[in-house]
Every structure is written in structure tokens, then in C-alpha cells.
């Protein structure tokens, strides 16, 4: 295998939700392979990732954008159009989850989850995808979920949005694969992040989760990052429209 098969040298990757957790790990892993990083998040707290990139000699640029705000997303995409750098890799990682039983699930919960998890991701993919299509190359990677395959409990908006991500991945791939743009997704299992801290701290839930995972442990953000690097690299050039499970074997049980 060519030593450059996984290299991202001279590529520019944009990662949403890159201030912490899975997004932060993805940004670091892409920088490790030589990519310049453009980070996006609601908080705009990029100190750790910026320093990491600088230590490796890769360029870094950070943008603050609330992906639940339609006007903010529109303004952000307009900003990107004036950016002289072309973006080779888009990682749609940002996401949110709001819990309440379906019978009481308010419209505002549904709307915010859909805006962050699905609508904004389609808009970013469409806008950056246009440039990729013009160049005849590019990689778009969505972060899906186990709930792209399962319904979950008390998270109807989240489940619907992540199911949508799985089919959006296929829909974009159907149109763009033959034009040099790879569109794929990664579906994490139970990953040890701030978002799952309550589950990890609950002895009953933690045990029930671990009992089902053949690997016998919670995943780490770095487990997801490695798969994203693969999908961003030339090694995945013949992979299109696929959602890769990274779940310790959860879906096999």
C-alpha cells in the first residue's frame, strides 16, 4: 500500500462541533495526518484544538456559529463563499439531543434538534458540495448514530434526525459519487463524552449498556476519529453512501 494512502497533507478540513468531545478528537486526528483545520462551534472555544494544530505546524481557523439559528447559518455560508481557501473535507459532527416522551415532546425541542442535526448539515453540505463538484473532488462525512438504525426512547426528534442523516448520506452519494465527491457517515455507539456522563454515572444504566457491548467498554472519541480519518483519506475513494458503525459490536447483538 502506498505510504500516502492515509495522508491528508495540504488538505483543508472543516469540522463542526469541534470544541470538545468527538469533534475535538476528529480535528486533532485530521491534523495528525497533515490537514489544515477550520473549526466551527456554538461556543467558539477552540484553544485546545488551535494549540494542537499549531504544535504540528498545521494552520487553524475557528468560526463561531449557532447551527440552530437559520440566520446565523446563512451568514456563515456567505462568509465561507468569500474564503480564499477551498475546503477538501467537511465533517458534519455538530449535534444536539433533547429528551422528553413523544406524547409531550414540544415543537421547540423538535425544531432545534432538526435545525442542528439535519437542516444545517444539509445546507453546509450543499454549499461546500457545490465547490467540490466544480473541482471534481471532495469528502463529506456525517456523524450519524445508533439511532440511525434504532428508535431510542424519549428522543423522537433525535432519532428522526439521525435516521435522516443516514438516508441523506445515500441521497447525496447517489448524485455526487460519479463526480468525484465521496459522501459517507460514521455511526458512533456509546462514547464516553460529556453528553453521556449521566449514563456513565448511573450504575444500572451503565451496567445494562456494557452488558450489551461485546467489546465490554465504552468507546472513546478517538475511536470515531480514526474512522473519520479513513473516510477523509484516499484509502476510502471507492466507498460511497455508506454508514460505518463504530459501536464495539452493539448492533451485532
Amino acid at each position: 500500500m502506498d505510504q500516502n494512502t492515509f495522508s491528508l497533507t495540504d488538505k483543508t478540513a472543516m469540522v463542526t462541533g469541534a470544541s470538545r468531545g468527538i469533534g475535538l478528537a476528529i480535528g486533532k486526528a485530521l491534523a495528525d495526518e497533515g490537514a489544515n483545520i477550520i473549526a466551527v462551534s456554538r461556543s467558539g472555544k477552540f484553544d485546545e484544538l488551535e494549540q494542537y494544530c499549531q504544535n504540528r505546524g498545521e494552520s487553524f481557523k475557528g468560526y463561531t456559529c449557532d447551527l440552530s439559528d437559520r440566520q446565523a447559518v446563512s451568514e456563515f455560508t456567505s462568509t465561507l463563499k468569500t474564503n480564499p481557501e477551498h475546503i477538501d473535507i467537511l465533517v458534519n459532527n455538530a449535534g444536539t439531543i433533547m429528551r422528553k416522551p413523544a406524547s409531550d415532546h414540544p415543537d421547540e425541542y423538535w425544531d432545534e434538534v432538526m435545525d442542528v442535526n439535519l437542516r444545517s448539515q444539509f445546507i453546509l453540505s450543499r454549499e461546500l458540495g457545490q465547490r467540490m463538484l466544480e473541482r471534481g473532488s471532495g469528502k463529506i462525512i456525517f456523524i450519524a448514530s445508533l439511532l440511525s438504525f434504532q428508535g431510542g426512547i424519549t428522543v423522537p426528534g433525535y432519532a428522526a434526525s439521525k435516521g435522516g442523516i443516514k438516508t441523506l448520506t445515500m441521497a447525496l452519494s447517489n448524485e455526487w459519487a460519479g463526480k468525484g465527491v465521496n459522501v459517507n457517515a460514521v455511526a458512533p455507539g456509546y462514547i464516553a463524552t460529556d453528553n453521556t456522563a449521566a449514563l456513565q454515572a448511573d450504575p444500572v444504566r451503565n451496567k445494562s449498556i456494557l452488558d450489551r457491548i461485546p467489546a465490554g467498554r465504552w468507546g472513546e472519541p478517538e475511536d470515531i476519529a480514526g474512522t473519520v480519518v479513513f473516510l477523509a483519506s484516499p484509502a476510502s475513494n471507492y466507498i460511497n453512501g455508506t454508514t460505518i458503525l463504530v459501536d464495539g459490536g452493539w448492533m451485532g447483538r
Side-chain angles (χ1 to χ4, degrees), residues 24-97:
L24 175 59
I26 289 171
K28 289 180 175 180
L30 294 171
D32 284 342
E33 298 303 322
N36 299 312
I37 302 299
I38 296 174
V40 184
S41 83
R42 178 184 294 183
S43 71
K45 297 178 180 178
F46 302 122
D47 292 350
E48 183 176 346
L49 181 55
E50 181 174 14
Q51 188 62 55
Y52 191 92
C53 292
Q54 290 176 349
N55 289 346
R56 279 152 184 76
E58 310 304 337
S59 72
F60 175 89
K61 185 178 291 185
Y63 291 96
T64 300
C65 182
D66 181 353
L67 296 178
S68 70
D69 183 331
R70 297 189 177 201
Q71 183 61 34
V73 173
S74 177
E75 292 172 357
F76 177 55
T77 56
S78 295
T79 298
L80 290 178
K81 289 178 181 178
T82 64
N83 191 330
E85 299 173 319
H86 68 252
I87 296 170
D88 305 284
I89 302 156
L90 169 62
V91 183
N92 283 305
N93 166 74
T96 190
I97 187 168

Side-chain angles (χ1 to χ4, degrees), residues 92 94 110 113-123 125 140-151 155-174 183-187 241-243:
N92 283 305
W110 177 275
V113 170
M114 286 296 179
D115 281 345
V116 175
N117 293 7
L118 191 58
R119 184 191 59 81
S120 66
Q121 298 196 25
F122 169 69
I123 291 172
S125 300
I140 297 176
I141 302 156
F142 291 97
I143 301 302
S145 168
L146 288 178
L147 297 197
S148 298
F149 301 88
Q150 301 175 317
V155 288
Y158 183 83
S161 70
K162 292 300 185 177
I165 286 297
K166 182 173 181 289
T167 50
L168 177 60
T169 296
M170 293 186 284
L172 296 182
S173 177
N174 287 343
V183 185
N184 292 290
V186 178
T242 294
T243 297

Side-chain angles (χ1 to χ4, degrees), residues 212-239:
R212 175 165 170 167
I213 301 173
R217 67 172 178 88
W218 286 71
E220 298 294 334
E222 291 74 19
D223 293 319
I224 308 305
T227 308
V228 171
V229 167
F230 165 63
L231 289 175
S233 75
S236 66
N237 282 350
Y238 197 57
I239 298 178

